[in-house]
Amino acid sequence: MKKNLITTLVFVFISALFVSTAAAQFPIKIPKISKPKSEKPTPNDPTETPTGKTSPAKSVQSKKIYEYEKPPTVPKLLKSSIYIQAKVDKQYWKTPKLNVSSWVPTIEFSVYVDRDTEGFEYTAEYLNPDGTLWFVEPLRTGSYAADRTIKLSSEYLTTRAMLNTKSTNLTGIYGVKINDKSRGKTIFEGKFKVGKFQSEFQKGKSEFDFFVEHDWMMPIGFVGFHHSALTADYGGFGVIASLWMKGEIDSNELEAKVFFAGKQIASTKDTGSLGGVNGYVERQSAQGVFVKNQYFWKLWNFEFFNLRIANGDDFHRTSYPNATYADENPGEYIVKIFHKNIEIRELKFTVGSDGRMVDNFSSQVFIPNYSIIVPVKILPTTEKWVQTAWKTEAFFGSPLSGFVAP
C-alpha cells in the first residue's frame, strides 16, 4: 500500500511539472525541438526581420553554426594579447648620483588552454639592438580566467632588480623571445621600438619617460561575440566590435552604429554598451596620460544589443524584438564610430552564406572563440599616429599577410 502511494505521488508530481513547464514556454513561442529539418515553415510562422517586423520565416537556423570550442591541452599563445611596456626609473644604475632616467622592458600575454593542463614555466628573453643578449626573466603565472586563458607576466621583484643592474637610457629597436620552458620551445620572437619624451613633470635635461610604440595597432580591429556561454544549448549572442583609439576619450562622447543593406540596424544607444564584456585594454607609457593624444592607446569594445548571432533557436527571440541576426542575414555589415557626432572610424565585416563571419587574418595570430580581425579605416581626427607603422611593426614585427589598412 505504501509503495503504491509513493508511485502515485511521483506520477502526479511529474505530470504537474510537465504541465507547468509547457504553460511557461507557450507565451514565448520557443520553436519545437521535434520539428523535422526538412519541414518548411508555413506563411503564418513569424520571425523577426532586420527591421523588427514579422514576416514568413525564411532563414531561421535550426543548426548550430558555432559549436562549443574546447580549449587545447597544449597552451596556445594569443599573439594579440602581447603587451610590452617600458618600465621607467628616475635613476640610472651607471650614474647613481645624477638624475638620469632609465628603463627596462616588461611583458604580459595570455595563452589559451584547458584548465587541467599543467606546466607553466615561461621566460622572456630580451635582446639589445645589436642582437646580443640583454637579460632573461622568469614570468609569473596568473590564475585561470573565465575566457579560458592564463596570463603570464613580468615579476615585480625581477623588474626591480633589473632596473638596479640592467636598465638603459637608450632608445631603439629591441628584440624579445617568449620561451615555454616546460615544453622546451620558443613560442614567439619579435621586435619592439622604444622612444622617449619629456612630460610636464620632467624638467632635467636627462629626465625622460620611455614608451614602446604601439601605433601599429590603430588600423587593426576585431569582431566577435560574447562566447563564455557558448555551448550546444545557447544562442542569441550580442556582436562586439573592438578597435583602438589614441589618447584619453570620454565614453559619453562616443556612439557606434551598424548598417546593413543600406539601413541602420543597431546602435550602442539602443541599450548597447561601451567597454564590452572584456572591459578596457590599455597600452601606455607611465606619463602618457599627461600628454594629450600621445603615447596612450585604448582598445574600445562596442557591444550591440540589436545585432546578434542566433546560432540556432535555443533562446528567447522575443527578448530582442528589433534585433538583426547576422548569421541569418548574409552580406556586408558596416560599423561606424562617432565622437561628438563626427565619424572617426569605420570597419566592415562580411557574413557568408554559411552564416559565419568571413575570417581572412585571425589564423595568422590565433584568436579563439570565433573572433575575427578586420581592417579599420581611421578618418581624420586630432589623433597623431604613424600611419605606416602597421606595415612593418604589427604584432611586434610579424605583420599580417594580405592585410591592407583602408
Side-chain angles (χ1 to χ4, degrees), residues 38-53:
S38 60
E39 181 179 340
K40 296 182 179 180
T42 64
N44 294 323
D45 184 13
T47 188
E48 293 87 343
T49 66
T51 60
K53 299 179 181 179

Side-chain angles (χ1 to χ4, degrees), residues 122-233:
Y122 287 78
T123 63
E125 182 178 333
Y126 302 104
L127 307 175
N128 293 306
D130 63 2
T132 59
L133 178 65
W134 185 0
F135 68 90
V136 179
E137 65 167 333
L139 300 178
R140 179 173 59 89
T141 303
S143 57
Y144 196 81
D147 61 356
R148 293 164 287 182
T149 64
I150 292 178
K151 179 179 288 188
L152 288 302
S153 60
S154 297
E155 291 272 12
Y156 171 79
L157 293 179
T158 301
T159 299
R160 187 69 257 170
M162 293 302 101
L163 282 170
N164 293 333
T165 59
K166 296 292 185 180
S167 68
T168 181
N169 63 345
L170 302 177
T171 61
I173 298 176
Y174 293 80
V176 61
K177 293 182 181 180
I178 299 174
N179 302 311
D180 183 346
K181 301 290 288 184
S182 299
R183 295 161 187 83
K185 61 181 181 180
T186 297
I187 62 173
F188 177 78
E189 293 187 52
K191 296 181 179 181
F192 58 99
K193 181 187 292 186
V194 176
K196 66 181 180 180
F197 67 93
Q198 278 194 318
S199 73
E200 60 182 294
F201 304 106
Q202 296 164 321
K203 304 300 182 180
K205 64 178 183 179
S206 297
E207 293 181 291
F208 295 96
D209 194 39
F210 296 87
F211 70 99
V212 176
E213 178 64 69
H214 283 89
D215 274 354
W216 60 264
M217 301 183 304
M218 297 286 279
I220 298 175
F222 307 87
V223 177
F225 49 89
H226 189 278
H227 54 73
S228 63
L230 183 54
T231 70
D233 301 322

Side-chain angles (χ1 to χ4, degrees), residues 61-333:
Q61 303 287 342
S62 59
K63 179 182 177 181
K64 298 296 180 187
I65 296 175
Y66 297 103
E67 296 289 347
Y68 174 77
E69 186 177 75
K70 181 176 175 57
T73 55
V74 177
K76 298 193 72 171
L77 172 68
L78 302 185
K79 191 182 292 186
S80 59
S81 72
I82 297 175
Y83 174 28
I84 303 173
Q85 186 179 18
K87 181 64 176 179
V88 181
D89 194 2
K90 295 180 179 180
Q91 300 296 320
Y92 184 26
W93 62 282
K94 290 185 176 181
T95 57
K97 296 182 180 182
L98 301 177
N99 291 328
V100 178
S101 301
S102 64
W103 68 278
V104 293
T106 62
I107 193 170
E108 67 177 52
F109 59 89
S110 295
V111 294
Y112 183 62
V113 66
D114 184 87
R115 78 163 47 246
D116 295 325
T117 299
E118 297 180 355
F120 286 93
E121 185 182 356
Y122 287 78
T123 63
E125 182 178 333
Y126 302 104
L127 307 175
N128 293 306
D130 63 2
T132 59
L133 178 65
W134 185 0
F135 68 90
V136 179
E137 65 167 333
L139 300 178
R140 179 173 59 89
T141 303
S143 57
Y144 196 81
D147 61 356
R148 293 164 287 182
T149 64
I150 292 178
K151 179 179 288 188
L152 288 302
S153 60
S154 297
E155 291 272 12
Y156 171 79
L157 293 179
T158 301
T159 299
R160 187 69 257 170
M162 293 302 101
L163 282 170
N164 293 333
T165 59
K166 296 292 185 180
S167 68
T168 181
N169 63 345
L170 302 177
T171 61
I173 298 176
Y174 293 80
V176 61
K177 293 182 181 180
I178 299 174
N179 302 311
D180 183 346
K181 301 290 288 184
S182 299
R183 295 161 187 83
K185 61 181 181 180
T186 297
I187 62 173
F188 177 78
E189 293 187 52
K191 296 181 179 181
F192 58 99
K193 181 187 292 186
V194 176
K196 66 181 180 180
F197 67 93
Q198 278 194 318
S199 73
E200 60 182 294
F201 304 106
Q202 296 164 321
K203 304 300 182 180
K205 64 178 183 179
S206 297
E207 293 181 291
F208 295 96
D209 194 39
F210 296 87
F211 70 99
V212 176
E213 178 64 69
H214 283 89
D215 274 354
W216 60 264
M217 301 183 304
M218 297 286 279
I220 298 175
F222 307 87
V223 177
F225 49 89
H226 189 278
H227 54 73
S228 63
L230 183 54
T231 70
D233 301 322
Y234 293 93
F237 309 108
V239 172
I240 302 172
S242 305
L243 48 84
W244 293 93
M245 296 183 192
K246 195 171 183 180
E248 189 60 64
I249 298 175
D250 188 341
S251 61
N252 294 323
E253 299 172 345
L254 291 172
E255 179 184 8
K257 301 178 181 180
V258 185
F259 297 83
F260 177 69
K263 297 181 180 179
Q264 180 181 321
I265 59 171
S267 167
T268 50
K269 298 294 185 182
D270 303 329
T271 64
S273 66
L274 302 178
V277 296
N278 296 319
Y280 300 113
V281 178
E282 298 175 353
R283 305 286 186 261
Q284 62 174 304
S285 66
Q287 300 292 329
V289 293
F290 302 111
V291 183
K292 188 176 182 181
N293 298 324
Q294 299 290 314
Y295 321 117
F296 182 91
W297 300 262
K298 179 181 285 188
L299 182 68
W300 290 84
N301 301 299
F302 301 90
E303 185 171 5
F304 300 99
F305 184 83
N306 285 328
L307 178 62
R308 314 192 78 82
I309 301 294
N311 202 39
D313 293 330
D314 298 325
F315 66 99
H316 299 167
R317 285 178 178 258
T318 53
S319 298
Y320 315 105
N322 298 312
T324 297
Y325 295 95
D327 51 336
E328 297 174 359
N329 293 275
E332 184 180 70
Y333 291 77

